[in-house]
Amino acid sequence: MAESKTDTKSSNQMWGGRFASGPDAIMEEINASIGFDKKLFAQDIRGSIAHATMLAHQGIISADDKDKIVHGLNTILSEIESGNFEFSRQLEDIHMNVEARLATLIGPAAGRLHTARSRNDQVALDFRLWVKEELEKTEKMLTGLIAAFLDRAEEHAESVMPGFTHLQTAQPVTFGHHCMAYVEMFGRDRSRVRHAIEHLDESPIGAAALAGTGYPIDRHMTAKALGFREPTRNSIDTVSDRDFAIEFLSIAAITGMHLSRLAEEIVIWSTPQFGFVRLSDAFSTGSSIMPQKKNPDAAELVRAKTGRINGSLVALLTIMKGLPLAYSKDMQEDKEQVFDAAESLELAIAAMTGMVRDMTVNTARMKAAAGSGYSTATDLADWLVREAGLPFRDAHHVTGRAVALAESKSCDLAELPLADLQAIHPDITDKVYGVLTVEASVASRKSFGGTAPSEVRRQIAFWRARN
Ligand code: ARG
């Protein structure tokens, strides 16, 4: 293709009017973004078609030129999609690669496309369109992950497991309740995604370089054609800001943080020592030396991807920090961070959805663990408050003595003979044994949002209706 053979010594054909010679090779290398922004080709072409159509509608270019431009752009779209397009680094970025090819295809009419716009509003448009689509994809993927958890929660609304604080056995909970905790987290992540879509739903095209334009353009028309709610209101802000990208990265970082906690739990739960879950073969790997091993590599990688996403967020915040208005070339560094984070996030959500759907839950192991570690001690204290009228602090103390006694006898609380319990407090009766089982413990926690199976089912119904 002609433009790829451009002599490096001649000045740039797009902006080189005042330049006597072309850029140094290093200048070209540091300046070019085509290596990564070619990902924006579809958005760039869509934006240009909407822009050219508006220019013709407003009488700024002729209908004939518009037809040629639109036809040429569609040809370029299929060339790129079918891999028959040669990208040139000398042409810097996706915008100039497309425009140069358009000139080759349709001749002088191509030169009219860039009327009343700049690469500054063009790149703001392309990138916003891309981020918007990525947010929409993320929303769907989170819905899938939530659905996977709802199924597991329903299946295990009554399965008892130990609940932890400090990773020490705290109180029995149901596995369904634990699953629903993640539904709440990913539900909030999804609502953050929806808000971000609302924030960025304004069309940048027509802001031009930074000051708007003297041509009688119709920004409402292009906004509508490109599926935006309305045009942006301030042309300086439009070409300056990348907060929509930073918002995407923030959401990715928060979602990644949630995913990494789940990943960590899966790593712990799938150890032979815990044995709460068994990952499917599809989401685990073997060891090349230790034949017995089944490693939770996917969960570990999800945990690690979170670090990478955080890096992208901090990178873009740092790139944007302190930049004077309006556009500076620093902002070209925005895209790789977002592309990399988006890829990591998609993979992480997909891998987690698969793991959650496929893993086998060992309810017997969970139940056995739930009963160990004196997990129903709080239930004994609560019984003393309710049935013997003790203040909670005293009940806590009495229960502590019962736990110490059970510990010294290497038995559970429920295995202590009534005489032993009565020696600690005379008001204890044999009715107390009814609250010392893990099933009774979880069933009693019916407070709104609590772990009782009836409450978990209510939570599931709530989310089913909105998922
Ligand atoms: N490749 C550039 C970017 O990604 C496009 C905008 C260039 N604008 C300019 N005034 N040099 O930011």
Side-chain angles (χ1 to χ4, degrees):
M1 221 163 286
E3 60 276 11
S4 64
K5 294 191 196 88
T6 307
D7 177 7
T8 43
K9 289 285 167 255
S10 63
S11 67
N12 187 291
Q13 64 185 96
M14 293 291 145
W15 46 251
R18 59 166 294 206
F19 288 79
S21 70
D24 187 271
I26 295 295
M27 177 60 210
E28 189 183 291
E29 191 172 345
I30 195 172
N31 200 33
S33 54
I34 188 63
F36 48 87
D37 69 13
K38 60 180 163 206
K39 233 187 163 85
L40 299 174
F41 75 91
Q43 290 77 10
D44 195 69
I45 290 171
R46 251 178 87 200
S48 288
I49 290 175
H51 182 65
T53 307
M54 180 278 293
L55 290 177
H57 184 261
Q58 297 298 99
I60 301 168
I61 64 171
S62 71
D64 190 39
D65 283 345
K66 183 261 293 179
D67 289 343
K68 282 190 194 131
I69 290 171
V70 171
H71 187 257
L73 287 169
N74 280 321
T75 305
I76 295 170
L77 182 64
S78 36
E79 285 177 352
I80 300 179
E81 278 172 345
S82 60
N84 291 316
F85 189 94
E86 204 179 320
F87 291 101
S88 152
R89 200 174 75 177
Q90 279 139 30
L91 289 164
E92 279 182 45
D93 54 25
I94 185 63
H95 324 297
M96 297 206 291
N97 269 269
V98 170
E99 202 184 317
R101 177 68 185 140
L102 189 64
T104 314
L105 284 174
I106 69 166
R112 302 198 183 275
L113 171 60
H114 213 52
T115 314
R117 79 171 183 189
S118 148
R119 274 189 294 155
N120 295 351
D121 57 342
Q122 194 178 352
V123 72
L125 169 66
D126 296 1
F127 199 29
R128 243 182 225 242
L129 283 172
W130 195 92
V131 171
K132 189 178 171 190
E133 282 165 33
E134 191 59 33
L135 284 165
E136 284 162 355
K137 205 186 282 179
T138 307
E139 184 187 357
K140 285 203 187 74
M141 294 188 77
L142 286 172
T143 298
L145 178 56
I146 290 170
F149 267 119
L150 286 172
D151 288 347
R152 297 321 300 256
E154 196 140 41
E155 191 186 330
H156 291 287
E158 317 221 351
S159 309
V160 183
M161 71 180 280
F164 300 94
T165 60
H166 315 269
L167 199 54
Q168 305 286 328
T169 303
Q171 291 172 343
V173 296
T174 54
F175 184 58
H177 193 215
H178 199 99
C179 289
M180 291 309 292
Y182 282 106
V183 167
E184 294 289 336
M185 290 178 241
F186 295 123
R188 282 193 300 276
D189 292 334
R190 187 177 58 182
S191 101
R192 272 184 274 274
V193 167
R194 288 175 179 158
H195 281 122
I197 293 173
E198 257 177 60
H199 290 159
L200 65 57
D201 207 8
E202 298 175 348
S203 170
I205 194 73
L210 81 165
T213 176
Y215 294 99
I217 59 171
D218 182 350
R219 294 193 56 210
H220 292 273
M221 180 177 170
T222 37
K224 195 164 172 220
L226 293 165
F228 287 108
R229 191 179 57 230
E230 58 196 339
T232 55
R233 277 171 308 281
N234 182 300
S235 59
I236 297 177
D237 170 53
T238 303
V239 298
S240 299
D241 215 337
R242 291 294 183 268
D243 58 1
F244 65 90
I246 294 173
E247 197 164 5
F248 170 75
L249 291 174
S250 316
I251 294 169
I254 295 174
T255 308
M257 175 274 296
H258 286 150
L259 288 167
S260 76
R261 298 183 72 172
L262 172 59
E264 172 68 4
E265 296 206 309
I266 289 178
V267 169
I268 295 172
W269 291 344
S270 62
T271 56
Q273 288 75 10
F274 265 75
F276 286 5
V277 301
R278 195 180 151 78
L279 292 175
S280 69
D281 288 352
F283 283 98
S284 40
T285 53
S287 157
S288 54
I289 172 170
M290 296 163 282
Q292 86 283 10
K293 289 198 78 176
K294 192 165 181 188
N295 295 329
D297 291 32
E300 293 168 319
L301 286 164
V302 167
R303 198 169 57 182
K305 295 274 182 211
T306 309
R308 209 170 149 142
I309 294 171
N310 291 351
S312 295
L313 170 62
V314 173
L316 189 52
L317 280 170
T318 312
I319 288 163
M320 295 305 295
K321 175 189 173 296
L323 282 189
L325 306 189
Y327 178 86
S328 296
K329 197 63 172 251
D330 310 51
M331 290 158 67
Q332 177 164 285
E333 294 281 316
D334 55 2
K335 291 166 212 61
E336 284 166 294
Q337 304 304 333
V338 170
F339 293 159
D340 188 78
E343 194 182 318
S344 297
L345 183 64
E346 274 186 39
L347 264 173
I349 300 176
M352 267 310 168
T353 308
M355 271 183 276
V356 169
R357 278 204 186 288
D358 287 8
M359 68 190 181
T360 312
V361 179
N362 189 334
T363 49
R365 280 297 285 261
M366 281 185 174
K367 189 180 160 182
S372 72
Y374 308 107
S375 66
T376 56
T378 318
D379 297 278
L380 172 55
D382 287 339
W383 186 89
L384 288 164
V385 170
R386 211 171 46 240
E387 306 296 327
L390 268 64
F392 184 77
R393 275 290 151 239
D394 297 349
H396 184 281
H397 185 75
V398 169
T399 305
R401 289 182 56 205
V403 168
L405 181 65
E407 219 163 21
S408 72
K409 295 188 153 195
S410 302
C411 71
D412 276 340
L413 281 176
E415 286 162 4
L416 285 175
L418 185 60
D420 281 1
L421 288 170
Q422 283 174 338
I424 295 171
H425 199 283
D427 292 350
I428 297 179
T429 69
D430 65 353
K431 287 215 189 79
V432 78
Y433 294 104
V435 302
L436 295 181
T437 66
V438 288
E439 285 82 2
S441 173
V442 296
S444 74
R445 295 203 154 69
K446 289 198 186 78
S447 56
F448 189 84
T451 203
S454 58
E455 194 50 30
V456 171
R457 290 210 172 86
R458 200 193 50 73
Q459 295 171 28
I460 295 170
F462 172 86
W463 278 102
R464 285 252 186 246
R466 52 162 54 191
N467 200 44

